[in-house]
Amino acid sequence: MSIVTIFGATGNQGGSVASTILSSPELKQKYKVRAITRDPSKASAQALASAGAELVQADLNNASSLQKAVEGSYAVFAITDFWSLMSKDAEVKQGRNIAKAAFAAGVKHLIWSSLPHATKLTAGKLTGIPHFDSKAEVEEYIEEKKLGTGTKASYFMPGTFMSNLGTMINPGQDGVPTIAGPLDPETGRYPWIDIRADTGKYVVGILEAGPEKADGARVQAVGEWLNPNETVRKLSEQEGKTINFASVPSEVYKGFLPPAIAEELTQTMELMGQYHYYGVGAEKYQEENDKWLLKGSSKVGLKEYAEKNGPLVKG
């Protein structure tokens, strides 16, 4: 039985990977889940243990603890949390630490939760999205340093989370529930994903493809591509009430946000509006990316997400 070590196993992405394996009798026979957590005593970690996972405590800033965490692993799913650090350099360091440990342990398949390098993708126009650039720079490091180690690497690149919709819908000036953003309502693109439901389908699909076939694969994980008008139309149908979209200038949008993250989130929206998140026209290649999905699985669309998790409009 091959050990699959999962970082962030009690979070959305890692938890999805763990549950995809642990809920499948077939996959559970092939893979032993090792769940990495900072606190094995918390309820979410104990729930994984009850489902058959091995719990291992590790600190992403402690190289020796990471070595022990990945020892004997066939595959590693690695993720870091920028928002708990609020530092590009700190996130890059943690990602590199995991990669170094994986290389040293002889891990066959490293799957890194990555994102596009926004600064490079936009030719220096959007330089204020460190939570994208940091993950991309870890990816670049892995690609450079994996050579000669025997480790193959793949990259899971999730779109924008449907779970953020609850905070995105707010009363407009006329009191009607509204999503606002610096996007054109027709040409902007939201790459929506149900991160809890669909991460595992992509990551375990990559795992099942094997390290040789999946080496270097950069998989854009999107449940449904929608422009802003399509987004609010589908949400209105599901919620049973009108939801509008308001296209607003970046400076106006920035004023809606907490100052500490205003610039970063505004530029992230501009990335969707002007560059379609992964690059202009990325939506045309979604079918090709979906070939990595776990066989027999299907993605969650926006209406299905809203049905399962609604009402999204509060009050």
Side-chain angles (χ1 to χ4, degrees), residues 122 135 187:
T122 67
K135 292 176 181 67
T187 62

Side-chain angles (χ1 to χ4, degrees), residues 150-223:
T151 299
K152 307 297 183 184
S154 311
Y155 306 97
F156 165 74
M157 306 176 74
T160 193
F161 299 178
M162 295 179 190
S163 54
N164 290 333
L165 278 163
T167 58
M168 291 174 70
I169 303 171
N170 294 289
Q173 289 183 330
D174 56 3
V176 176
T178 299
I179 296 176
L183 292 81
D184 183 278
E186 288 294 330
T187 62
R189 290 289 182 275
Y190 287 121
W192 294 113
I193 182 171
D194 182 341
I195 198 69
R196 185 74 199 198
D198 286 353
T199 297
K201 298 168 190 173
Y202 279 104
V203 172
V204 180
I206 295 166
L207 178 67
E208 285 281 87
E212 294 294 334
K213 183 178 178 181
D215 188 35
R218 305 177 77 244
V219 181
Q220 62 181 44
V222 179

Side-chain angles (χ1 to χ4, degrees), residues 63-292:
S64 62
S65 80
L66 291 174
Q67 284 277 179
K68 292 173 186 171
V70 302
E71 199 66 47
S73 300
Y74 162 73
V76 169
F77 173 69
I79 181 171
T80 46
D81 179 13
F82 173 87
W83 302 108
S84 69
L85 302 166
M86 294 300 289
S87 164
K88 177 186 167 185
D89 290 346
E91 183 170 38
V92 169
K93 182 181 178 182
Q94 287 188 346
R96 287 185 173 193
N97 285 347
I98 298 171
K100 288 175 190 173
F103 297 151
V107 168
K108 298 297 183 191
H109 198 177
L110 173 59
I111 304 172
W112 169 247
S113 180
S114 193
L115 285 171
H117 198 296
T119 298
K120 293 179 180 178
L121 178 65
T122 67
K125 291 193 173 94
L126 297 177
T127 60
I129 318 179
H131 76 285
F132 274 60
D133 291 359
S134 53
K135 292 176 181 67
E137 288 174 20
V138 173
E139 177 185 330
E140 291 169 357
Y141 176 85
I142 293 169
E143 282 297 290
E144 178 190 349
K145 301 297 184 182
K146 74 180 183 183
L147 303 175
T149 66
T151 299
K152 307 297 183 184
S154 311
Y155 306 97
F156 165 74
M157 306 176 74
T160 193
F161 299 178
M162 295 179 190
S163 54
N164 290 333
L165 278 163
T167 58
M168 291 174 70
I169 303 171
N170 294 289
Q173 289 183 330
D174 56 3
V176 176
T178 299
I179 296 176
L183 292 81
D184 183 278
E186 288 294 330
T187 62
R189 290 289 182 275
Y190 287 121
W192 294 113
I193 182 171
D194 182 341
I195 198 69
R196 185 74 199 198
D198 286 353
T199 297
K201 298 168 190 173
Y202 279 104
V203 172
V204 180
I206 295 166
L207 178 67
E208 285 281 87
E212 294 294 334
K213 183 178 178 181
D215 188 35
R218 305 177 77 244
V219 181
Q220 62 181 44
V222 179
E224 189 170 20
W225 284 93
L226 296 170
N227 68 30
N229 280 346
E230 291 167 334
T231 295
V232 294
R233 186 177 71 247
K234 289 201 172 198
L235 290 174
S236 296
E237 289 170 1
Q238 181 55 44
E239 296 278 303
K241 60 177 70 176
T242 299
I243 300 171
N244 290 331
F245 177 76
S247 181
V248 298
S250 294
E251 287 306 312
V252 173
Y253 181 72
K254 204 182 298 182
F256 300 155
L257 303 169
I261 57 173
E263 182 64 36
E264 181 151 10
L265 294 188
T266 299
Q267 288 199 26
T268 303
M269 288 294 165
E270 291 173 337
L271 187 71
M272 290 184 233
Q274 300 168 36
Y275 300 93
H276 299 189
Y277 198 88
Y278 303 98
V280 174
E283 64 275 13
K284 298 172 187 171
Y285 305 102
Q286 193 56 48
E287 189 174 345
E288 183 180 326
N289 283 269
D290 288 348
K291 290 176 182 175
W292 294 102

